Amino acid sequence: MRLKDKVALVTGASSGIGAGIAARFAAEGARVAVNFRPGSPKDRDAAEAAVAGFGANAIAVEADVSKHDQVEAMVARVVEAFGRIDIAVNNAGIEINKPFLETTDEEWNRVLGVNLQGGFYVSQAAARAMVKQGGGGRLIFISSVHEDIPFPNYTSYCASKGAIRMMMRNLCIELAPHGITANNIAPGAIATPINQTVLDNPIAFKNAVSEIPLGRFGKPEEVASVAVFLASDEASYVTGSTYYVDGGLTQQVTMY
Ligand code: BGC
């Protein structure tokens, strides 16, 4: 039980990497708030089913992370339900496959809204609550290998992830006096719904796997284990870092 009684909020936790992190946190004894986005009955059902499976110490919290007021209300709800917040995992993310020359304002704002504004709103609201309650805290951002390496036709996504990297590095310094650490996990190709098109296309899948030294896609649990470490007492001196969980992708990428 590496997170016994800690209170954690995980955004975008109704599927994929977020769901994997929420499940692992609960198994490690944390009280978990499972965020899901409004307007998707499927996500609501998944979040509620996950919470029911975790037992009494979990809640499902609806919020569009790109909306400041919804994020404030969500963090307030977590603090009301559990009395505090110790860990915020900024995981909610979207990507749009579109050549730069064709990307619209609306698409750019949508991706930056969820990935970057969302990270800002959630980490700021959580950090303010952590400062108020005292005793430090943990901010974890699920960025991407594309916080650093280019991904043609995903410029909005790369811009959002690169910005998250810089935000995290600044927060490391600004929040250190409060005992709050900030770190990124940069996943590579993980078998989750965001990659469904590639997973369903044998040629695209083969090309993607050929870029990965370990020769396979990762699993959400393999990202979750690093998140547990960063959230646990064992990572007390770790801040301002990016942890790549990518099967070696960043070391040999030629970009499929
Ligand atoms: C993206 C995936 C991509 C992976 C590796 C992730 O951040 O969401 O679409 O397969 O990076 O390139």
Side-chain angles (χ1 to χ4, degrees):
M1 289 285 194
R2 293 158 76 189
L3 302 178
K4 187 136 186 49
D5 296 331
K6 300 273 188 213
V7 175
L9 165 65
V10 185
T11 66
S14 55
S15 71
I17 291 173
I21 292 175
R24 190 62 208 286
F25 277 15
E28 294 289 348
R31 293 173 282 169
V32 186
V34 174
N35 161 252
F36 63 96
R37 66 186 164 147
S40 165
K42 189 169 147 257
D43 287 354
R44 172 185 294 276
D45 289 351
E48 283 172 358
V51 160
F54 297 162
N57 283 331
I59 54 171
V61 280
E62 181 172 14
D64 175 344
V65 297
S66 72
K67 301 280 189 294
H68 203 167
D69 55 340
Q70 293 189 30
V71 170
E72 293 286 337
M74 170 172 69
V75 171
R77 167 117 201 275
V78 175
V79 173
E80 188 189 284
F82 298 125
R84 56 186 295 109
I85 180 166
D86 301 295
I87 304 154
V89 182
N90 292 273
N91 167 77
I94 57 171
E95 65 186 27
I96 294 177
N97 178 352
K98 202 74 182 285
F100 174 67
L101 294 177
E102 290 161 28
T103 300
T104 66
D105 240 26
E106 191 275 327
E107 289 163 342
W108 177 270
N109 289 334
R110 187 146 41 101
V111 173
L112 274 285
V114 173
N115 300 3
L116 180 57
Q117 300 286 100
F120 165 56
Y121 296 146
V122 172
S123 55
Q124 189 189 56
R128 282 178 173 163
M130 289 168 187
V131 169
K132 199 164 155 212
Q133 77 203 7
R138 300 290 161 89
L139 301 177
I140 300 169
F141 297 88
I142 308 304
S143 64
S144 165
V145 293
H146 302 298
E147 71 165 44
D148 192 45
I149 59 171
F151 195 11
N153 299 322
Y154 290 86
T155 298
S156 54
Y157 184 72
C158 292
S160 71
K161 298 298 185 174
I164 283 284
R165 173 165 183 262
M166 284 311 302
M167 184 164 79
M168 174 279 290
R169 292 171 68 195
N170 262 38
L171 300 193
C172 148
I173 300 171
E174 283 195 47
L175 300 177
H178 301 285
I180 299 170
T181 64
N183 291 286
N184 278 14
I185 298 175
I190 309 296
T192 71
I194 210 170
N195 281 313
Q196 206 53 52
T197 325
V198 176
L199 294 168
D200 290 343
N201 175 333
I203 295 169
F205 181 71
K206 198 162 160 262
N207 287 344
V209 166
S210 74
E211 300 278 9
I212 306 169
L214 286 184
R216 63 174 177 86
F217 272 46
K219 295 179 275 196
E221 307 88 78
E222 293 175 303
V223 181
S225 54
V226 179
V228 169
F229 164 67
L230 288 172
S232 75
D233 291 343
E234 286 163 79
S236 50
Y237 201 55
V238 179
T239 191
S241 293
T242 288
Y243 282 71
Y244 288 88
V245 182
D246 68 350
L249 174 69
T250 30
Q251 305 309 315
Q252 82 163 14
V253 74
T254 54
M255 263 356 273
Y256 38 88

